[in-house]
Amino acid sequence: MKLPHYTFYTLFILFVGLVAAQPAWANDTDPEDEIPEYNEEEVKKRLEYLSQDLVEVKYVTAVKGYIKGYVLRNRKHSEIVLGRSIQYFPIFEHYLEKHQLPEALKYLPIVESALDPKAMSWVGAGGLWQFMPATGKERGLDINKYVDERYDPIKSTEAAMVHLRRQYDRFDDWALALAAYNSGSGRVSRAIKRARSKNFWRLMRYLPRETRNYVPAFIAATYLVDYFESHNLKPEYPELDLQITETIRVYDNHSFYRIAQVTDLPLDIIEALNPSYKKGYIPSSREGHYLTLPIRVMEAFKAYVAASRPDSKQFMPVFSGPVYFTRPSNQAKPSYIKSTYVVIEGETLRSIASDLKVSVHQIKAWNKLKSSELIPGQELIVFTPEKFKRLIDREETMSILAPIAVSSLKELDGYGFRSYIPKGDQLGHFFYFPIPEKMRPDELAAYLRQEDAEAFKQLNGLEKNKKLKQGTWVKVNR
């Protein structure tokens, strides 16, 4: 039977009444989880002390709306953004200082991408700084079927510095430079002519709606970072493997799968730290590409690269055995040592961070510091990684290769026999081959057209010339 409309209304009123009648203890919440009331007068006062003086601050409707969005409506999203700042603010600050630009510009990518390096807009802008493909290429970023450097946190940041400098040099005003960054210098120039003013707040009505709201959004993003604690927001910081990292330049091709083998890292960590590579591998380059990894495993990767180069054969004994095609175990959690650092007189957060090879943001986050001021004898919690050491591969028989999951492989064409490579590894040094019938290693080397049978046997750890079972996997130099 269909109930009349007034019945639904009555039921709704009853439901509200039942909720209101619950005892007080039923609604007890942890004070730390409570959402403070939005006090407009307090917010206005805080806006007078923002850590930016690039743009004139006005508490207009758009600014109010963005701030409320951060501290009331989208609190979970705000906590994620605040957590990401520990990864990306150190990069921004480094290149802002290098290019002699105001440090407060580090808040701009919060507006552009919510500090998500994989962000893409509906019009095709991508990365932390939301470059369109044409603009990215103009600023020297490579964009091809293998790499899109708009998503590289370091290279896109350097390109953004050049772009921002150019806009400021043109308008000599940061509010106008930010507007031009969003919608192009041509639109801003036309708005200046129509308004007969270079004051952003006077000419904003002549700009596209998104650009009118751009400076208010920048003000609100600054407010979020400066005053999130006043609104009981708790940054959702990423795991330490994403915080304590190192970036190097590599010139040869490296698949993410091989990097995972060498470092015992999960593939998702490698992908998260290197979002600019489209195919799961880094192509070779004369100029070099950036690779970012947790600092605790970087030495293992460097040793692997050194051992792989012909001019580094002195390191080969470390990797004398074959590198077996198996997924990283990842059974043990990354090992980080939590310790207490006692501040001595004359030390600063920056000097301590430099000595420990971490960032100021990390030390402040780990210790919930509201300021950068330290006093002698103050204790700081710090995390230092235990370096991952790659074990020497064991000399084992070919039975080790039997468990390879075909689902993790991609069939390779052009070799005259059925062979495979890891998915996403287009340029790897090896392919993998399941033996179609019983064969001795010498016969197999001839079948696979291997000129050096002894090298083939050594690569696969085959000491004796015994027949291998059908279906056994072998590794072959490409």
Side-chain angles (χ1 to χ4, degrees), residues 332-405:
K333 291 184 178 180
S335 182
Y336 287 86
I337 303 169
K338 181 180 179 180
S339 56
T340 301
Y341 186 97
V342 180
V343 179
I344 62 176
E345 190 170 355
E347 286 188 311
T348 64
L349 266 183
R350 178 168 288 197
S351 68
I352 293 172
S354 177
D355 289 342
L356 298 177
K357 295 184 178 179
V358 296
S359 73
V360 169
H361 290 279
Q362 289 164 352
I363 296 177
K364 292 180 76 171
W366 297 338
N367 293 275
K368 298 183 178 179
L369 299 179
K370 295 182 180 180
S371 100
S372 297
E373 298 298 322
L374 299 177
I375 58 175
Q378 183 175 349
E379 294 185 350
L380 299 174
I381 294 172
V382 296
F383 294 91
T384 51
E386 288 186 346
K387 288 188 177 179
F388 171 79
K389 295 181 179 179
R390 187 174 185 278
L391 299 177
I392 298 174
D393 292 307
R394 296 169 294 176
E395 298 283 348
E396 301 202 40
T397 63
M398 284 304 300
S399 60
I400 292 297
L401 290 181
I404 293 179

Side-chain angles (χ1 to χ4, degrees), residues 3 33 49 120 146 169 206 244 342 411 477:
L3 295 174
D33 295 328
Y49 300 97
M120 174 174 280
Y146 302 114
D169 288 346
Y206 298 107
I244 307 176
V342 180
E411 192 160 357
N477 282 301

Side-chain angles (χ1 to χ4, degrees), residues 102-386:
E103 185 179 315
L105 289 171
K106 68 185 179 185
Y107 304 120
L108 193 58
I110 296 178
V111 180
E112 287 287 348
S113 62
L115 296 184
D116 179 2
K118 295 183 180 179
M120 174 174 280
S121 74
W122 65 275
V123 295
L128 288 166
W129 296 89
Q130 288 291 283
F131 278 109
M132 292 294 288
T135 309
K137 289 179 179 178
E138 285 176 10
R139 295 291 171 258
L141 298 176
D142 284 342
I143 302 174
N144 55 53
K145 63 180 180 179
Y146 302 114
V147 178
D148 190 337
E149 290 182 344
R150 293 180 299 161
Y151 300 99
D152 185 303
I154 294 176
K155 291 188 176 181
S156 67
T157 296
E158 285 223 77
M161 301 301 99
V162 174
H163 196 57
L164 284 165
R165 169 60 72 184
R166 178 166 293 189
Q167 302 308 325
Y168 181 74
D169 288 346
R170 178 163 184 169
F171 295 104
D172 195 30
D173 179 277
W174 276 115
L176 299 181
L178 296 184
Y181 186 91
N182 176 253
S183 64
S185 56
R187 285 192 177 95
V188 174
S189 296
R190 288 192 291 272
I192 291 172
K193 288 181 180 179
R194 294 182 67 185
R196 297 180 182 179
S197 172
K198 292 191 70 175
N199 182 288
F200 172 81
W201 299 106
R202 293 178 183 172
L203 62 80
M204 62 183 291
R205 62 188 176 130
Y206 298 107
L207 294 169
R209 176 176 295 181
E210 180 184 340
T211 310
R212 290 200 299 268
N213 292 331
Y214 198 69
V215 169
F218 177 77
I219 293 170
T222 309
Y223 178 90
L224 170 66
V225 177
D226 285 357
Y227 293 108
F228 68 88
E229 290 178 327
S230 300
H231 296 274
N232 211 10
L233 290 166
K234 302 176 183 65
E236 191 174 302
Y237 294 116
E239 57 187 287
L240 291 173
D241 262 359
L242 296 176
Q243 292 186 40
I244 307 176
T245 62
E246 183 180 2
T247 301
I248 62 172
R249 194 185 293 270
V250 295
Y251 299 88
D252 297 329
N253 60 77
H254 299 283
S255 73
F256 283 5
Y257 202 99
R258 176 52 55 85
I259 296 169
Q261 286 180 308
V262 172
T263 61
D264 206 31
L265 285 174
L267 285 169
D268 59 343
I269 293 291
I270 301 171
E271 291 167 353
L273 291 173
N274 300 276
S276 63
Y277 302 108
K278 298 179 178 180
K279 304 289 187 180
Y281 71 91
I282 305 171
S284 58
S285 167
R286 287 185 178 180
E287 294 76 25
H289 287 301
Y290 288 147
L291 169 66
T292 301
L293 295 174
I295 198 169
R296 67 182 183 86
V297 303
M298 188 58 88
E299 287 305 315
F301 179 77
K302 289 177 181 177
Y304 163 73
V305 172
S308 300
R309 285 179 168 273
D311 56 353
S312 300
K313 290 185 177 179
Q314 64 269 28
F315 295 107
M316 286 302 289
V318 178
F319 305 97
S320 58
V323 179
Y324 295 114
F325 186 77
T326 55
R327 283 192 173 276
S329 63
N330 303 316
Q331 292 176 352
K333 291 184 178 180
S335 182
Y336 287 86
I337 303 169
K338 181 180 179 180
S339 56
T340 301
Y341 186 97
V342 180
V343 179
I344 62 176
E345 190 170 355
E347 286 188 311
T348 64
L349 266 183
R350 178 168 288 197
S351 68
I352 293 172
S354 177
D355 289 342
L356 298 177
K357 295 184 178 179
V358 296
S359 73
V360 169
H361 290 279
Q362 289 164 352
I363 296 177
K364 292 180 76 171
W366 297 338
N367 293 275
K368 298 183 178 179
L369 299 179
K370 295 182 180 180
S371 100
S372 297
E373 298 298 322
L374 299 177
I375 58 175
Q378 183 175 349
E379 294 185 350
L380 299 174
I381 294 172
V382 296
F383 294 91
T384 51
E386 288 186 346

